[in-house]
Amino acid sequence: MYLLPNKTTKKMKKETPINLFVDAHVFDGEFQGSRTFIKEIYKFLGRKKDVRIHMGGNNVAVLKETFPDLPNVQFHQYRWKSKFLRLLIDIPSIIRKNNIGYAHYQYIIPVLLNAKTIVTIHDVVYKDFPEEFSVFYRLSKYLLYKHAAKRAFHITTVSEHSRYAIQRYLAVPAKKITITPNGVSESFFIARSKNDDRRKLEQQNGYSKFILYVSRIEPRKNHAALIRSYLELGLNQKGIHLVFIGHTSIPCAEMDALLQQLSPEQSASIHHYTNIEEEELKRYYNAALVFAYPSKAEGFGIPPLEAAAFHTPVICSNTSAMEEFSFFGEGHINPYDQEALTKSLRVYITHPPAEEQLLEIAETIRKKYNWSASANKFYEILQTKYS
């Protein structure tokens, strides 16, 4: 006999915890935007009593260190390091064994789904700027992202620019996409001594005056333009170094060619670091004379916001999702304009913005881009969609 649902059954259903799997393989490598996104969203959701989180990765020790003292988070060790085997074997097995109803992925999802899927597609910049990527890269990303966008029951992204691009290029209806903006962690706004951090870097590296660029190395990131401006201004002769932090994800022939042409003196003033932990990264952000971010295309762009949180002068692109960062004022430039980059670098080195202006920029970022608001939006998706 069919029974109509009553208040008791509804209440029991509502109190059933949301069982959610999170693919956290990005914690196996360097810091990047998607890693920060997962870290901040699930630090919040891990404290929700009605959400049980199952997090999978190859480096479970890092996951436990990142998400300590969260009783509702369980960690699962992947057996395979291959992303294809992870998606084909590891994740479906974890979901099946733990009776998980929902799964959250970054960019790509398994071919065979055994849970309702939320996918976060941070950007589709390979479509916005096809000249910056190889044909194989564009085609492979398109097929993988298209599959994810079509099969997922809901999509999140990090900016209005990315939302529009996903709609346009992946043919996704607006109602299927929710914007959960990236933010800047409160720990980046904690005041610290610039002189102390510069002294520590002087002892560690042999220099304390430097321009900083934090980003993966890819052609679209435009590292070559920053090198050209640095050399044109002769900053190495003034004791000012140029520091790049981030691994190479796509080889950049233009950047490599420039570096090969450097004199020994110039080469000694340009540095490239990888595998920098968060605490040391904060030291670089705080100690830099100028933070430069001349990237041509981003789905969001967290590093310039993190640098500005430390009251460090920022020169940032005004294209793609970074168009909304107008609070950078005169430092908000066209990355295709080499002369504008060189001029801004010269001005910010010799006459940096006043502390009052840097404080105002930091406060604007703090109010507009905070992780708690984005985590709440993601939580609302789970509550609304869970059934």
Side-chain angles (χ1 to χ4, degrees):
M1 181 176 67
Y2 177 73
L3 297 175
L4 291 173
N6 56 38
K7 292 182 179 179
T8 302
T9 58
K10 285 183 179 180
K11 183 177 181 181
M12 288 175 63
K13 185 176 182 181
K14 192 172 183 179
E15 289 179 351
T16 302
I18 299 169
N19 220 14
L20 173 68
F21 173 79
V22 182
D23 179 16
H25 74 276
V26 291
F27 286 84
D28 300 334
E30 267 197 318
F31 283 93
Q32 53 181 291
S34 55
R35 176 172 174 169
T36 303
F37 178 83
I38 293 175
K39 173 186 173 183
E40 298 298 336
I41 293 293
Y42 287 101
K43 276 168 54 180
F44 174 87
L45 290 181
R47 294 181 172 85
K48 293 291 183 181
K49 295 181 179 179
D50 59 343
V51 182
R52 291 178 182 169
I53 298 168
H54 297 261
M55 198 167 285
N58 288 111
N59 196 335
V60 170
V62 170
L63 292 177
K64 290 180 177 179
E65 183 180 336
T66 306
F67 302 96
D69 305 320
L70 295 177
N72 294 332
V73 179
Q74 183 177 345
F75 304 101
H76 300 271
Q77 176 73 48
Y78 289 151
R79 290 176 296 168
W80 304 94
K81 291 188 177 181
S82 163
K83 65 180 177 182
F84 299 107
L85 293 176
R86 178 182 75 239
L87 292 168
L88 185 65
I89 300 174
D90 275 339
I91 293 175
S93 175
I94 292 168
I95 289 173
R96 184 175 59 254
K97 289 178 180 178
N98 293 277
N99 194 29
I100 295 170
Y102 279 73
H104 180 204
Y105 302 91
Q106 309 293 303
Y107 293 107
I108 63 176
I109 65 176
V111 174
L112 300 175
L113 302 178
N114 57 347
K116 280 192 173 180
T117 298
I118 301 170
V119 62
T120 299
I121 300 177
H122 296 255
D123 62 75
V124 285
V125 293
Y126 64 90
K127 279 289 191 180
D128 282 325
F129 298 86
E131 69 278 3
E132 300 292 335
F133 302 91
S134 69
V135 173
F136 175 77
Y137 184 98
R138 298 198 309 268
L139 180 60
S140 61
K141 293 296 183 183
Y142 174 74
L143 293 175
L144 290 170
Y145 291 12
K146 180 72 173 179
H147 169 257
K150 182 179 180 180
R151 296 292 307 282
F153 89 95
H154 202 73
I155 298 167
T156 71
T157 193
V158 294
S159 67
E160 182 61 37
H161 174 85
S162 289
R163 182 198 63 78
Y164 174 76
I166 291 167
Q167 280 185 256
R168 178 184 178 189
Y169 297 120
L170 302 181
V172 177
K175 65 181 180 180
K176 193 176 178 179
I177 307 171
T178 298
I179 299 175
T180 51
N182 285 326
V184 179
S185 172
E186 279 297 314
S187 66
F188 284 79
F189 292 96
I190 297 174
R192 52 193 295 160
S193 169
K194 289 186 178 292
N195 287 334
D196 285 351
D197 281 338
R198 286 168 181 164
R199 274 196 295 269
K200 289 178 182 177
L201 289 176
E202 173 81 47
Q203 294 170 355
Q204 176 181 311
N205 300 328
Y207 61 85
S208 60
K209 295 181 179 180
F210 62 94
I211 297 156
L212 177 65
Y213 187 5
V214 175
S215 177
R216 298 192 308 274
I217 292 179
E218 299 179 7
R220 69 180 168 102
K221 299 288 189 172
N222 209 20
H223 290 74
L226 184 56
I227 294 173
R228 284 194 293 268
S229 290
Y230 174 81
L231 296 175
E232 183 179 342
L233 294 171
L235 295 179
N236 65 297
Q237 298 172 8
K238 301 174 183 178
I240 299 174
H241 292 237
L242 178 58
V243 174
F244 296 121
I245 295 178
H247 71 280
T248 301
S249 56
I250 300 178
C252 183
E254 185 180 10
M255 178 183 179
D256 291 340
L258 276 173
L259 293 175
Q260 290 172 6
Q261 296 170 11
L262 298 178
S263 68
E265 293 77 13
Q266 291 170 331
S267 183
S269 296
I270 299 178
H271 314 272
H272 179 204
Y273 305 121
T274 59
N275 299 314
I276 298 293
E277 295 299 324
E278 185 174 286
E279 184 57 32
E280 189 172 4
L281 177 61
K282 290 176 180 177
R283 181 173 299 127
Y284 278 98
Y285 273 142
N286 189 47
L289 295 176
V290 177
F291 181 88
Y293 201 76
S295 176
K296 297 174 183 177
E298 296 290 334
F300 186 82
I302 296 178
L305 305 186
E306 291 180 335
F310 289 105
H311 300 187
T312 295
V314 171
I315 298 171
C316 179
S317 295
N318 63 5
T319 58
S320 61
M322 300 171 291
E323 183 179 3
E324 67 180 59
F325 298 166
S326 58
F327 42 77
F328 285 128
E330 293 181 357
H332 203 213
I333 65 167
N334 182 345
Y336 293 93
D337 188 339
Q338 184 74 53
E339 185 178 343
L341 176 58
T342 303
K343 179 182 177 182
S344 295
L345 202 55
R346 181 192 299 113
V347 170
Y348 274 40
I349 288 291
T350 57
H351 297 90
E355 178 60 26
E356 293 79 8
Q357 184 180 348
L358 297 174
L359 174 61
E360 183 179 348
I361 292 171
E363 286 303 307
T364 298
I365 292 169
R366 189 175 199 166
K367 292 175 183 176
K368 189 172 182 179
Y369 301 105
N370 64 84
W371 283 113
S372 60
S374 293
N376 266 314
K377 275 194 173 184
F378 197 88
Y379 182 53
E380 288 171 9
I381 294 170
L382 293 174
Q383 290 181 309
T384 302
K385 303 293 180 181
Y386 185 70
S387 61

mmCIF file of all heavy atoms in Angstrom, residues 143-165:
data_model
loop_
_atom_site.group_PDB
_atom_site.id
_atom_site.type_symbol
_atom_site.label_atom_id
_atom_site.label_comp_id
_atom_site.label_asym_id
_atom_site.label_seq_id
_atom_site.Cartn_x
_atom_site.Cartn_y
_atom_site.Cartn_z
ATOM 1 N N LEU A 143 37.250 18.403 -25.053
ATOM 2 C CA LEU A 143 36.507 17.154 -24.945
ATOM 3 C C LEU A 143 36.272 16.765 -23.491
ATOM 4 O O LEU A 143 35.170 16.330 -23.112
ATOM 5 C CB LEU A 143 37.255 16.033 -25.680
ATOM 6 C CG LEU A 143 37.344 16.179 -27.206
ATOM 7 C CD1 LEU A 143 38.220 15.080 -27.792
ATOM 8 C CD2 LEU A 143 35.953 16.154 -27.835
ATOM 9 N N LEU A 144 37.290 16.926 -22.651
ATOM 10 C CA LEU A 144 37.163 16.570 -21.235
ATOM 11 C C LEU A 144 36.202 17.515 -20.510
ATOM 12 O O LEU A 144 35.352 17.072 -19.724
ATOM 13 C CB LEU A 144 38.540 16.595 -20.568
ATOM 14 C CG LEU A 144 39.507 15.491 -20.991
ATOM 15 C CD1 LEU A 144 40.900 15.778 -20.453
ATOM 16 C CD2 LEU A 144 39.018 14.127 -20.504
ATOM 17 N N TYR A 145 36.327 18.822 -20.760
ATOM 18 C CA TYR A 145 35.465 19.789 -20.086
ATOM 19 C C TYR A 145 34.030 19.683 -20.589
ATOM 20 O O TYR A 145 33.079 19.853 -19.820
ATOM 21 C CB TYR A 145 35.980 21.209 -20.312
ATOM 22 C CG TYR A 145 37.290 21.547 -19.639
ATOM 23 C CD1 TYR A 145 38.102 20.557 -19.069
ATOM 24 C CD2 TYR A 145 37.750 22.859 -19.584
ATOM 25 C CE1 TYR A 145 39.304 20.872 -18.476
ATOM 26 C CE2 TYR A 145 38.951 23.190 -18.974
ATOM 27 C CZ TYR A 145 39.735 22.182 -18.426
ATOM 28 O OH TYR A 145 40.927 22.502 -17.836
ATOM 29 N N LYS A 146 33.870 19.423 -21.876
ATOM 30 C CA LYS A 146 32.533 19.286 -22.456
ATOM 31 C C LYS A 146 31.811 18.105 -21.831
ATOM 32 O O LYS A 146 30.627 18.189 -21.479
ATOM 33 C CB LYS A 146 32.653 19.106 -23.967
ATOM 34 C CG LYS A 146 31.320 18.951 -24.697
ATOM 35 C CD LYS A 146 30.556 20.249 -24.753
ATOM 36 C CE LYS A 146 29.323 20.113 -25.631
ATOM 37 N NZ LYS A 146 28.541 21.361 -25.684
ATOM 38 N N HIS A 147 32.531 16.984 -21.682
ATOM 39 C CA HIS A 147 31.957 15.805 -21.039
ATOM 40 C C HIS A 147 31.556 16.114 -19.609
ATOM 41 O O HIS A 147 30.454 15.756 -19.162
ATOM 42 C CB HIS A 147 32.966 14.650 -21.072
ATOM 43 C CG HIS A 147 32.578 13.487 -20.209
ATOM 44 N ND1 HIS A 147 33.156 13.255 -18.988
ATOM 45 C CD2 HIS A 147 31.654 12.504 -20.391
ATOM 46 C CE1 HIS A 147 32.615 12.175 -18.446
ATOM 47 N NE2 HIS A 147 31.708 11.703 -19.280
ATOM 48 N N ALA A 148 32.432 16.802 -18.882
ATOM 49 C CA ALA A 148 32.133 17.142 -17.487
ATOM 50 C C ALA A 148 30.920 18.058 -17.394
ATOM 51 O O ALA A 148 30.030 17.861 -16.553
ATOM 52 C CB ALA A 148 33.349 17.804 -16.840
ATOM 53 N N ALA A 149 30.867 19.072 -18.248
ATOM 54 C CA ALA A 149 29.768 20.030 -18.212
ATOM 55 C C ALA A 149 28.437 19.380 -18.553
ATOM 56 O O ALA A 149 27.393 19.725 -17.985
ATOM 57 C CB ALA A 149 30.053 21.172 -19.182
ATOM 58 N N LYS A 150 28.470 18.421 -19.467
ATOM 59 C CA LYS A 150 27.235 17.758 -19.906
ATOM 60 C C LYS A 150 26.730 16.766 -18.863
ATOM 61 O O LYS A 150 25.531 16.715 -18.569
ATOM 62 C CB LYS A 150 27.479 17.044 -21.230
ATOM 63 C CG LYS A 150 26.241 16.358 -21.794
ATOM 64 C CD LYS A 150 26.552 15.690 -23.124
ATOM 65 C CE LYS A 150 25.313 15.000 -23.691
ATOM 66 N NZ LYS A 150 25.607 14.333 -24.994
ATOM 67 N N ARG A 151 27.647 15.988 -18.259
ATOM 68 C CA ARG A 151 27.228 14.906 -17.370
ATOM 69 C C ARG A 151 26.993 15.352 -15.934
ATOM 70 O O ARG A 151 26.203 14.720 -15.202
ATOM 71 C CB ARG A 151 28.292 13.801 -17.389
ATOM 72 C CG ARG A 151 28.471 13.120 -18.734
ATOM 73 C CD ARG A 151 27.264 12.278 -19.133
ATOM 74 N NE ARG A 151 26.890 11.327 -18.093
ATOM 75 C CZ ARG A 151 27.513 10.172 -17.853
ATOM 76 N NH1 ARG A 151 28.563 9.821 -18.610
ATOM 77 N NH2 ARG A 151 27.100 9.357 -16.895
ATOM 78 N N ALA A 152 27.687 16.395 -15.478
ATOM 79 C CA ALA A 152 27.517 16.850 -14.100
ATOM 80 C C ALA A 152 26.104 17.388 -13.888
ATOM 81 O O ALA A 152 25.534 18.006 -14.779
ATOM 82 C CB ALA A 152 28.542 17.935 -13.781
ATOM 83 N N PHE A 153 25.575 17.183 -12.684
ATOM 84 C CA PHE A 153 24.247 17.713 -12.434
ATOM 85 C C PHE A 153 24.308 19.189 -12.051
ATOM 86 O O PHE A 153 23.325 19.908 -12.154
ATOM 87 C CB PHE A 153 23.513 16.878 -11.371
ATOM 88 C CG PHE A 153 23.732 17.326 -9.955
ATOM 89 C CD1 PHE A 153 22.842 18.189 -9.326
ATOM 90 C CD2 PHE A 153 24.820 16.860 -9.229
ATOM 91 C CE1 PHE A 153 23.042 18.589 -8.022
ATOM 92 C CE2 PHE A 153 25.026 17.260 -7.921
ATOM 93 C CZ PHE A 153 24.131 18.128 -7.307
ATOM 94 N N HIS A 154 25.505 19.657 -11.639
ATOM 95 C CA HIS A 154 25.666 21.090 -11.389
ATOM 96 C C HIS A 154 27.127 21.481 -11.569
ATOM 97 O O HIS A 154 28.032 20.672 -11.360
ATOM 98 C CB HIS A 154 25.191 21.474 -9.989
ATOM 99 C CG HIS A 154 24.843 22.925 -9.872
ATOM 100 N ND1 HIS A 154 23.715 23.475 -10.434
ATOM 101 C CD2 HIS A 154 25.497 23.965 -9.282
ATOM 102 C CE1 HIS A 154 23.671 24.779 -10.190
ATOM 103 N NE2 HIS A 154 24.747 25.088 -9.489
ATOM 104 N N ILE A 155 27.340 22.742 -11.980
ATOM 105 C CA ILE A 155 28.676 23.279 -12.234
ATOM 106 C C ILE A 155 28.880 24.509 -11.362
ATOM 107 O O ILE A 155 27.972 25.334 -11.204
ATOM 108 C CB ILE A 155 28.837 23.686 -13.707
ATOM 109 C CG1 ILE A 155 28.673 22.465 -14.628
ATOM 110 C CG2 ILE A 155 30.186 24.358 -13.971
ATOM 111 C CD1 ILE A 155 28.509 22.833 -16.092
ATOM 112 N N THR A 156 30.067 24.619 -10.778
ATOM 113 C CA THR A 156 30.440 25.871 -10.135
ATOM 114 C C THR A 156 31.652 26.437 -10.859
ATOM 115 O O THR A 156 32.449 25.697 -11.448
ATOM 116 C CB THR A 156 30.780 25.702 -8.633
ATOM 117 O OG1 THR A 156 32.025 25.016 -8.484
ATOM 118 C CG2 THR A 156 29.681 24.951 -7.906
ATOM 119 N N THR A 157 31.775 27.743 -10.816
ATOM 120 C CA THR A 157 32.951 28.411 -11.370
ATOM 121 C C THR A 157 33.276 29.610 -10.500
ATOM 122 O O THR A 157 32.543 29.911 -9.548
ATOM 123 C CB THR A 157 32.735 28.801 -12.844
ATOM 124 O OG1 THR A 157 33.994 29.172 -13.414
ATOM 125 C CG2 THR A 157 31.746 29.947 -12.991
ATOM 126 N N VAL A 158 34.376 30.311 -10.803
ATOM 127 C CA VAL A 158 34.922 31.256 -9.835
ATOM 128 C C VAL A 158 34.762 32.728 -10.198
ATOM 129 O O VAL A 158 35.149 33.597 -9.417
ATOM 130 C CB VAL A 158 36.422 30.955 -9.585
ATOM 131 C CG1 VAL A 158 36.580 29.594 -8.903
ATOM 132 C CG2 VAL A 158 37.214 30.993 -10.882
ATOM 133 N N SER A 159 34.221 33.018 -11.377
ATOM 134 C CA SER A 159 34.071 34.423 -11.761
ATOM 135 C C SER A 159 32.963 34.562 -12.794
ATOM 136 O O SER A 159 32.569 33.591 -13.452
ATOM 137 C CB SER A 159 35.378 34.976 -12.345
ATOM 138 O OG SER A 159 35.683 34.356 -13.582
ATOM 139 N N GLU A 160 32.472 35.767 -12.945
ATOM 140 C CA GLU A 160 31.456 36.043 -13.948
ATOM 141 C C GLU A 160 32.022 35.800 -15.344
ATOM 142 O O GLU A 160 31.322 35.305 -16.236
ATOM 143 C CB GLU A 160 30.976 37.496 -13.827
ATOM 144 C CG GLU A 160 29.873 37.879 -14.801
ATOM 145 C CD GLU A 160 28.598 37.061 -14.629
ATOM 146 O OE1 GLU A 160 28.243 36.744 -13.484
ATOM 147 O OE2 GLU A 160 27.973 36.730 -15.669
ATOM 148 N N HIS A 161 33.271 36.150 -15.549
ATOM 149 C CA HIS A 161 33.926 35.922 -16.839
ATOM 150 C C HIS A 161 33.906 34.435 -17.196
ATOM 151 O O HIS A 161 33.557 34.058 -18.326
ATOM 152 C CB HIS A 161 35.362 36.427 -16.797
ATOM 153 C CG HIS A 161 36.156 36.094 -18.030
ATOM 154 N ND1 HIS A 161 36.143 36.872 -19.170
ATOM 155 C CD2 HIS A 161 36.981 35.039 -18.306
ATOM 156 C CE1 HIS A 161 36.910 36.333 -20.088
ATOM 157 N NE2 HIS A 161 37.435 35.218 -19.595
ATOM 158 N N SER A 162 34.264 33.583 -16.234
ATOM 159 C CA SER A 162 34.289 32.148 -16.491
ATOM 160 C C SER A 162 32.884 31.591 -16.692
ATOM 161 O O SER A 162 32.673 30.688 -17.507
ATOM 162 C CB SER A 162 34.991 31.420 -15.341
ATOM 163 O OG SER A 162 36.383 31.689 -15.350
ATOM 164 N N ARG A 163 31.920 32.099 -15.943
ATOM 165 C CA ARG A 163 30.537 31.635 -16.111
ATOM 166 C C ARG A 163 30.063 31.884 -17.542
ATOM 167 O O ARG A 163 29.495 30.996 -18.190
ATOM 168 C CB ARG A 163 29.602 32.355 -15.133
ATOM 169 C CG ARG A 163 28.145 31.879 -15.238
ATOM 170 C CD ARG A 163 27.186 32.866 -14.621
ATOM 171 N NE ARG A 163 27.213 34.159 -15.314
ATOM 172 C CZ ARG A 163 26.610 34.390 -16.468
ATOM 173 N NH1 ARG A 163 25.952 33.446 -17.099
ATOM 174 N NH2 ARG A 163 26.685 35.593 -17.018
ATOM 175 N N TYR A 164 30.315 33.078 -18.028
ATOM 176 C CA TYR A 164 29.896 33.418 -19.386
ATOM 177 C C TYR A 164 30.607 32.549 -20.411
ATOM 178 O O TYR A 164 29.992 32.072 -21.373
ATOM 179 C CB TYR A 164 30.175 34.896 -19.663
ATOM 180 C CG TYR A 164 29.900 35.308 -21.092
ATOM 181 C CD1 TYR A 164 28.583 35.494 -21.541
ATOM 182 C CD2 TYR A 164 30.946 35.475 -21.996
ATOM 183 C CE1 TYR A 164 28.327 35.848 -22.860
ATOM 184 C CE2 TYR A 164 30.698 35.835 -23.322
ATOM 185 C CZ TYR A 164 29.388 36.021 -23.742
ATOM 186 O OH TYR A 164 29.144 36.367 -25.050
ATOM 187 N N ALA A 165 31.901 32.317 -20.210
ATOM 188 C CA ALA A 165 32.675 31.502 -21.147
ATOM 189 C C ALA A 165 32.195 30.056 -21.167
ATOM 190 O O ALA A 165 32.120 29.426 -22.225
ATOM 191 C CB ALA A 165 34.158 31.563 -20.781
#
